Amino acid sequence: MKKIKLLFSIVLFGLIANSCATEELVYSIPKTKNSNQLSKIYTGFPETFESGSKTSYVAADVTLPTGIWNLNDALIGTLSGDRKNGAKSIRIRNTGTVTMKFNSINGASSVSVLHAKYGTDASSSWELWYSINSGSSWTKTGGTITTSSSTLQTATFPMMINGNVRFEIRKISGGTNRINIDDITIDDNNVSVGGVFPETYESGSKTSYTPAAVTLSTGSWYFDNALIGTSASDAKSGTQSARIIDTGKITMQFDVTTGASSVDIKHATYGTDDSSTWELWYSNNSGSSWTQTGSSITTSSTTLQTATFPMIVQGNIRFEIRKITGTAIRINIDDFSITAYNGTGGSGTGGVDGDHIAMGNPSGATTDITNENNYLMEKVQYKLSYNRSKATANWVSWHLDPSWTGAAPRQDDFRADTTLPSSWYQVGSTSYSGSGFDRGHDCPSADRTSSVADNSETFLMTNMIPQAPVNNRQTWANLEAYGRTLVSQGNEVYIIMGCYGVGGTGSAGSANTINNGNITVPSNIWKVLVVLTQGTNDVDRVTTSTRVIAVNTPNINTTGAWGTYRTSVDAIEAATGYDLLSNLSTSIQSTIEATVDNGPTK
């Protein structure tokens, strides 16, 4: 069984399902009158605008259930041309604004807004801005939204904000064309702790597939294209179970603080429906980003089966089930069980066996999307620090033992990584074409052959760097093969690979960037391998005698035996500024990081 560590945290609102995943910044506009109104805890969200009245576009305050809002070149519309979820919605024209004049004191993990064109008006655009200082300054969050539909659509803005926050909608284009805004929802960071698992779905009631939250015995869950089934055709271990249709999902809106060592979920087809497929996802940044855990599950039995997802997770965690195939086909989900984490880490600052960064997080990468040039991305197969400015990873780290190798063929399905924030540039499969540089893997395809899914994940472009072809196909290919040879000899290896600098030489000559300047070509490519005999308590087993191989090559189109490029970890740290093996004790680090390997190369 693969040993993996999954760190979790989840969106307080399942509306992220339809998200325009967006980037958050910090904003600034002049303070308006009354903007220093005292912070308040509000309970009226979503703000539906049903209780207010404002019939003129003249700037004025309106008192609504959530608090006081300022509407500038905006009114509360009640006409047949107003698109609304009820009897009223906001209507904005020109470059109007809708501004909260109160704070949410619990921050925000996401905001969702319904929007549509008014009547037969043409398209126009708007933005969401936020303030964390009661309106003294403002920052745009996410991308610009173009409203082009005459029916209400949902725009979702994932974010990670703590403490006081307020929001403002700014219409920025379209002139006299008008847009409607309705049902503004703020998912705050007032984290709740879940109740006792398993969740049996026996205590809730939801009879329609319309998205809505349901209070269950463990806490609040968000059901999107899902309901609580009670019919004879619903497969269930009691009188009720969750039923999901199309590409629906069910999302925990609370954290479990005990971590998880595994998750068990019962599943079956509904009635006589055909098979369909679903996945389990997790988030560790309040829903700003999500990562799949384990493999996709195909539900084909009419009786409940148990899907088990082994993991090693510490701290807060929440989950989301996503049905990914089967239009109009339904599945039942029941008895969602989380087994608490009860393991122990290694010495130093942590480290769990099999965790891809058990030896340390070299750059202190985080999953905060504002940390755009050191953004932690956690795949089941590897973890990486992504650099938005360079459009490559700073480093990729992975664990290699026999469980990761098998007979799965090379997939060659190079593709953009759509788990990046959607406002970020995404490198595509052809972005390196004609550049003279290979799409060089960080985590190699051949290190992930236990399943087609594992191999496919190595072809995400976030796992690629522009690499000189000879350097990639000879020097590095030989080093990668040697790493697998070590595993075949009874070892397991913790591997970190990265790049730094600007400017390399490929088959078409030298270049600092490719793809119209979007992708930086590195000057150097490095790798560190920590070699252990197969066993447990991996971090604790690293000693001053542990073999550590450090290699640093120039990114040039010439060949050379990888052994000739051996260096020390200290030297790579000096070049990059990273702390590569930070989970080891400082006394061990001081010895093994200063040593240049002189062991065999074949």
Side-chain angles (χ1 to χ4, degrees):
M1 182 179 295
K2 300 171 192 152
K3 298 178 284 184
I4 58 175
K5 176 184 180 182
L6 306 173
L7 302 175
F8 311 133
S9 135
I10 305 178
V11 154
L12 287 169
F13 253 23
L15 286 169
I16 196 167
N18 298 318
S19 109
C20 332
T22 52
E23 174 190 8
E24 54 179 350
L25 311 170
V26 176
Y27 40 156
S28 142
I29 65 169
K31 186 184 297 184
T32 58
K33 183 179 179 181
N34 295 328
S35 66
N36 285 324
Q37 174 181 332
L38 290 177
S39 299
K40 58 175 279 190
I41 300 175
Y42 49 87
T43 57
F45 278 95
E47 179 53 73
T48 63
F49 307 103
E50 294 295 306
S51 68
S53 178
K54 184 176 184 291
T55 58
S56 155
Y57 287 110
V58 176
D61 292 343
V62 180
T63 300
L64 298 170
T66 50
I68 297 175
W69 295 68
N70 182 266
L71 276 61
N72 182 10
D73 228 348
L75 53 76
I76 295 181
T78 60
L79 302 179
S80 59
D82 288 295
R83 311 305 176 186
K84 47 196 180 291
N85 183 24
K88 300 178 180 181
S89 63
I90 294 291
R91 186 196 313 157
I92 313 175
R93 69 177 185 180
N94 299 325
T95 54
T97 58
V98 176
T99 309
M100 287 170 55
K101 298 181 71 174
F102 57 94
N103 292 331
S104 158
I105 66 172
N106 290 321
S109 58
S110 73
V111 173
S112 62
V113 182
L114 298 185
H115 63 106
K117 298 187 301 182
Y118 171 84
T120 58
D121 284 9
S123 301
S124 52
S125 298
W126 57 277
E127 299 170 341
L128 183 67
W129 291 63
Y130 69 88
S131 175
I132 53 176
N133 53 13
S134 298
S136 294
S137 62
W138 295 79
T139 299
K140 179 185 173 187
T141 179
T144 299
I145 305 298
T146 298
T147 297
S148 56
S149 172
S150 57
T151 59
L152 288 169
Q153 308 294 311
T154 301
T156 302
F157 303 81
M159 58 193 65
M160 188 69 172
I161 300 174
N162 296 315
N164 290 338
V165 63
R166 61 179 65 183
F167 293 93
E168 179 173 85
I169 290 174
R170 302 181 182 182
K171 185 172 180 292
I172 62 169
S173 74
T176 57
N177 291 312
R178 295 152 292 184
I179 61 172
N180 288 118
I181 297 292
D182 208 354
D183 293 0
I184 297 178
T185 301
I186 299 174
D187 307 339
D188 67 25
N189 287 321
N190 189 13
V191 176
S192 61
V193 178
V196 177
F197 280 84
E199 177 54 71
T200 62
Y201 306 103
E202 294 294 310
S203 65
S205 177
K206 184 176 186 291
T207 57
S208 107
Y209 289 112
T210 303
V214 182
T215 300
L216 301 171
S217 60
T218 52
S220 177
W221 294 65
Y222 194 82
F223 280 47
D224 182 0
N225 252 357
L227 52 75
I228 302 287
T230 60
S231 75
S233 297
D234 285 295
K236 47 194 180 291
S237 59
T239 60
Q240 300 187 163
S241 62
R243 187 197 310 161
I244 311 176
I245 195 170
D246 298 331
T247 52
K249 60 187 69 177
I250 56 176
T251 308
M252 288 168 55
Q253 293 186 291
F254 57 91
D255 286 337
V256 172
T257 62
T258 57
S261 60
S262 69
V263 173
D264 293 316
I265 302 172
K266 292 182 180 178
H267 62 106
T269 58
Y270 171 84
T272 58
D273 284 11
D274 290 335
S275 301
S276 54
T277 304
W278 57 277
E279 299 168 341
L280 183 65
W281 288 65
Y282 68 89
S283 171
N284 65 347
N285 54 12
S286 295
S288 293
S289 62
W290 293 78
T291 301
Q292 183 185 351
T293 178
S295 302
S296 300
I297 304 297
T298 297
T299 298
S300 56
S301 172
T302 56
T303 59
L304 288 170
Q305 308 293 311
T306 300
T308 300
F309 300 83
M311 57 191 64
I312 302 174
V313 181
Q314 302 177 66
N316 291 343
I317 174 176
R318 62 178 71 179
F319 295 96
E320 180 173 81
I321 293 174
R322 301 183 181 182
K323 187 171 179 291
I324 60 170
T325 68
T327 302
I329 295 172
R330 296 153 292 186
I331 61 171
N332 287 118
I333 297 292
D334 208 353
D335 294 353
F336 189 113
S337 180
I338 300 174
T339 302
Y341 171 78
N342 59 3
T344 58
S347 57
T349 60
V352 177
D353 286 0
D355 178 8
H356 299 310
I357 54 174
M359 298 297 154
N361 180 332
S363 59
T366 70
T367 54
D368 183 348
I369 61 175
T370 64
N371 193 18
E372 59 186 32
N373 291 329
N374 190 21
Y375 178 59
L376 182 64
M377 303 183 73
E378 299 180 290
K379 311 295 185 183
V380 171
Q381 297 77 12
Y382 50 86
K383 296 183 182 182
L384 63 97
S385 163
Y386 189 74
N387 190 307
R388 182 186 182 189
S389 298
K390 295 181 177 180
T392 62
N394 298 309
W395 52 262
V396 179
S397 188
W398 66 100
H399 175 242
L400 182 61
D401 69 6
S403 70
W404 286 107
T405 57
R410 181 183 170 97
Q411 296 303 296
D412 281 317
D413 52 345
F414 294 93
R415 63 198 186 280
D417 190 337
T418 57
T419 66
L420 285 170
S422 64
S423 58
W424 294 13
Y425 174 74
Q426 294 183 3
V427 180
S429 61
T430 60
S431 297
Y432 288 24
S433 296
S435 68
F437 292 92
D438 279 2
R439 296 170 293 193
H441 281 69
D442 286 296
C443 178
S445 162
D447 279 9
R448 294 293 182 256
T449 55
S450 61
S451 71
V452 168
D454 285 342
N455 188 261
S456 177
E457 283 294 285
T458 69
F459 288 91
L460 292 171
M461 294 304 293
T462 48
N463 186 45
M464 303 295 159
I465 54 174
Q467 191 168 6
V470 174
N471 178 268
N472 178 39
R473 301 172 198 179
Q474 296 183 29
T475 306
W476 283 95
N478 290 334
L479 176 56
E480 293 166 359
Y482 181 66
R484 292 186 291 274
T485 297
L486 290 170
V487 172
S488 71
Q489 295 170 345
N491 298 297
E492 56 184 307
V493 188
Y494 287 89
I495 307 169
I496 314 166
M497 177 172 172
C499 58
Y500 66 87
V502 177
T505 304
S507 60
S510 299
N512 290 337
T513 63
I514 60 173
N515 191 223
N516 298 316
N518 285 310
I519 305 169
T520 298
V521 177
S523 64
N524 285 74
I525 304 169
W526 57 268
K527 179 176 283 187
V528 171
L529 299 88
V530 179
V531 185
L532 296 167
T533 56
Q534 293 171 24
T536 58
N537 300 318
D538 294 346
V539 173
D540 285 336
R541 292 189 297 120
V542 179
T543 70
T544 55
S545 300
T546 297
R547 186 180 184 191
V548 176
I549 305 169
V551 175
N552 187 354
T553 73
N555 189 19
I556 57 177
N557 205 36
T558 59
T559 188
W562 66 261
T564 64
Y565 295 106
R566 282 184 283 197
T567 184
S568 68
V569 173
D570 280 343
I572 294 175
E573 289 181 336
T576 61
Y578 299 152
D579 187 2
L580 295 180
L581 306 178
S582 59
N583 280 355
L584 303 179
S585 68
T586 55
S587 60
I588 293 176
Q589 287 186 61
S590 63
T591 299
I592 64 175
E593 292 186 355
T595 302
V596 177
D597 176 67
N598 61 2
T601 60
K602 292 184 180 179

